[in-house]
Amino acid sequence: MRNRSGGDRGRDPAAHGATARRRRNTARRLARGTRVIGIRWSAGGTPDRGAGAETEVSTSLRVAAAYGWRLIIVGAAVYAIFAALGRFQLVTLAVFLALVLTALLEPLVSLLNRWMPRSVAVAGGLLLGIVLLFGILSLIGANVAGEWEGLRREFVGGVARIERWLEGPPFHLRAGTLSDLQTRVSRFVSSHRASLISTALSGVGQLVEVLTVGVLALFCAVFFLHSGDRMWGWFGGQLPGRGRHPVRLAGRAAWVTFTGYTRGIVVVAAINAVLVGVTLFVLGVPLAVPLAVLEFFAAFIPLVGSPIALAVAAVVALAAKGPLVAVVVVLLIVAIGQIEGHVLHPLVMSRAVRLHPVVVALSVIGGSVTAGVPGAVVAVPLVSVVWSVYGVLRAHPRPPSTPRGG
């Protein structure tokens, strides 16, 4: 039998086929390994870089696209949630007020619960809160009624003083400008009496809505104070086992932040109201108590509420006491803003709210654009709660593992 030479072995069909298969497999492996960097291989086994350059996508663009569609989905979900809340605005506002009442009255109810049953403690706490609210309202009414006649005389003289002041430098207004303005206002009222009456009637409808929201908030607050922890426990029990721990953490963080913000803003508003009331009383500005109460409620809108309330007080001081007292009230706006921003908020609310002032301002503006005054009130606590929940879930991404057999 004849031995085959090297050339004969190279021309063996079986060996030639095995070599060709090895070359094809090697080419496939190289193609798979280099496809991720955008290099194509030609039919002859050489890289075709010109063709791969057209399909290559940079890493930064892929990362941006991945974050982009996720942000679009999150934005759509947030928009859907706010649209649903806006659809049921009265119910949402009632639940928010109920949570505020719960946060404010829970320490009192817990204190009363030491000596009496929980139901009686809830009823006693709500009764004390209602008595305090009506006491403040009656104090305002009595103050306005007692000062009304003197206030009317002071306003008549104040308007005359303002007119004489505007006629001089640097304004040099024409004499009788304010009188002409009053005449035009009276003509407008007489010519649009029907529309004003319809507006007043619609205001009655809005008053009914306000009363409905108040009753619903009070009704919800009763159950939140009595068995809010059991209600939250029942809600957590309906979730899957793996989702209960993060929901429990998120709920605890949200409630701590919300109660801290609510109690802190009440303390800040009360201090601002006392400062404004005492200052206006010392200056002899009329309606000092109602203006102080206005400052209290306006302080619930951060950054913009207090300046607006004090601007009203400055107008009253200008009409009743003249420009000098009005300038003092304007300086009071600056002083209270500095005290609130650099003393009260760091001491009272730093643990509950850790938001940059720019975020607070944008939240207030966004809330007011979305839902008016209620939106401006709700915006900051809502953003604070969301940020707190995000921080807790980011710090505890997974529930603690349970040992086997435990």
Side-chain angles (χ1 to χ4, degrees), residues 28-357:
R28 291 194 191 98
R29 287 195 297 270
L30 291 174
R32 285 196 298 267
T34 57
R35 193 176 296 136
V36 296
I37 60 173
I39 301 177
R40 291 183 180 180
W41 285 74
S42 63
T46 58
D48 188 2
R49 300 182 180 271
E54 297 178 358
T55 60
E56 183 177 358
V57 178
S58 64
T59 304
S60 59
L61 183 58
R62 289 198 298 269
V63 172
Y67 277 105
W69 70 261
R70 288 177 174 86
L71 289 175
I72 291 174
I73 293 178
V74 172
V78 171
Y79 177 80
I81 292 173
F82 275 94
L85 294 178
R87 188 78 173 178
F88 304 95
Q89 184 177 2
L90 296 181
V91 178
T92 305
L93 185 59
V95 173
F96 175 78
L97 292 178
L99 293 175
V100 171
L101 290 176
T102 305
L104 294 178
L105 296 178
E106 197 274 333
L108 177 60
V109 171
S110 299
L111 181 62
L112 296 176
N113 192 27
R114 297 181 180 179
W115 299 285
M116 59 186 68
R118 186 73 179 182
S119 302
V120 181
V122 171
L126 288 174
L127 184 62
L128 289 176
I130 293 173
V131 169
L132 178 62
L133 178 61
F134 279 99
I136 294 175
L137 293 178
S138 62
L139 178 63
I140 295 174
N143 184 265
V144 173
E147 297 184 2
W148 181 255
E149 187 62 29
L151 181 64
R152 186 182 63 82
R153 292 194 300 268
E154 289 183 356
F155 263 80
V156 172
V159 169
R161 287 195 299 270
I162 293 174
E163 187 173 5
R164 290 193 299 269
W165 176 53
L166 293 176
E167 290 175 0
F171 300 100
H172 299 289
L173 292 181
R174 184 175 56 84
T177 302
L178 294 182
S179 301
D180 295 341
L181 180 61
Q182 293 175 359
T183 303
R184 292 179 182 178
V185 170
S186 61
R187 289 177 181 175
F188 177 82
V189 171
S190 60
S191 60
H192 296 80
R193 185 174 302 173
S195 61
L196 292 176
I197 291 175
S198 63
T199 304
L201 293 177
S202 64
V204 174
Q206 293 178 358
L207 179 61
V208 173
E209 292 181 355
V210 170
L211 293 177
T212 303
V213 169
V215 172
L216 181 58
L218 188 63
F219 179 78
C220 294
V222 170
F223 290 96
F224 291 165
L225 287 170
H226 183 266
S227 55
D229 52 348
R230 294 198 298 269
M231 295 170 66
W232 181 253
W234 175 87
F235 174 76
Q238 309 305 311
L239 300 175
R242 298 183 61 181
R244 294 177 184 176
H245 180 71
V247 170
R248 189 182 301 112
L249 288 177
R252 186 182 300 113
W255 183 244
V256 169
T257 301
F258 184 80
T259 54
Y261 176 85
T262 303
R263 296 166 187 171
I265 198 66
V266 168
V267 173
V268 172
I271 294 175
N272 286 354
V274 170
L275 291 176
V276 170
V278 171
T279 305
L280 295 179
F281 179 78
V282 171
L283 294 175
V285 178
L287 299 179
V289 175
L291 292 174
V293 175
L294 177 63
E295 166 64 25
F296 175 80
F297 287 106
F300 283 87
I301 304 178
L303 297 181
V304 297
S306 294
I308 292 175
L310 289 175
V312 175
V315 172
V316 174
L318 178 63
K321 294 297 180 179
L324 182 60
V325 178
V327 170
V328 175
V329 176
V330 171
L331 294 178
L332 180 65
I333 298 176
V334 179
I336 288 184
Q338 295 298 316
I339 294 173
E340 181 179 349
H342 294 86
V343 178
L344 297 179
H345 277 280
L347 291 178
V348 178
M349 302 183 63
S350 59
R351 294 183 179 180
V353 181
R354 298 177 181 178
L355 299 177
H356 195 274

